[in-house]
Amino acid sequence: MAADAPPPSTEQRQLPGAEEFTEVQESAEFGELRRSYRSFAFPLTVGFIVWYLLYVLLSNYAGGFMGTKLFGNINVAFVFGVLQFATTFLIAWWYSRHAAAKLDPKAEAIKTRMEGGA
């Protein structure tokens, strides 16, 4: 079986030092990456926690409402519980798309520059 990949490089790379990491951390480019991450992750985290706590509080204090049968043996509590899982997967999918479109290119540019490729 033939390999099409070139052989691994024997050249030793110089790893960035603490000064380079500090310089990158203080750069506008890194600040923009951090802002992009935070502007997406923080509101979604707060929203999901509020949604989860609403489910827990309704389960504890609104038993009559949560026990309301919607159809057959399916009640409001069951639907809310399933929606918790659906919301989790939706947020993970949405974050994956956001990271691929907005975060990964910026992070890759910083990484390339740090490794001396730019």
Side-chain angles (χ1 to χ4, degrees), residues 9-59:
S9 174
T10 57
E11 181 181 315
Q12 194 72 342
R13 284 195 143 150
Q14 180 68 23
L15 296 176
E19 302 83 30
E20 289 87 4
F21 280 107
T22 302
E23 182 181 318
V24 167
Q25 183 182 9
E26 294 170 352
S27 71
E29 187 179 22
F30 187 78
E32 178 58 34
L33 174 62
R34 200 168 43 220
R35 264 188 302 285
S36 294
Y37 169 74
R38 288 179 178 172
S39 67
F40 184 87
F42 287 177
L44 238 54
T45 300
V46 168
F48 184 78
I49 288 172
V50 167
W51 162 233
Y52 176 74
L53 290 176
L54 175 68
Y55 172 67
V56 170
L57 291 173
L58 286 174
S59 294

Side-chain angles (χ1 to χ4, degrees), residues 51 55 66 75-87:
W51 162 233
Y55 172 67
M66 294 296 271
N75 61 17
V76 173
F78 180 77
V79 171
F80 276 21
V82 170
L83 286 175
Q84 289 289 317
F85 286 102
T87 305

Side-chain angles (χ1 to χ4, degrees), residues 92-108:
W93 170 80
W94 193 13
Y95 176 77
S96 175
R97 289 180 44 99
H98 172 74
K102 301 270 194 305
L103 304 178
D104 292 348
K106 293 175 186 177
E108 188 62 35

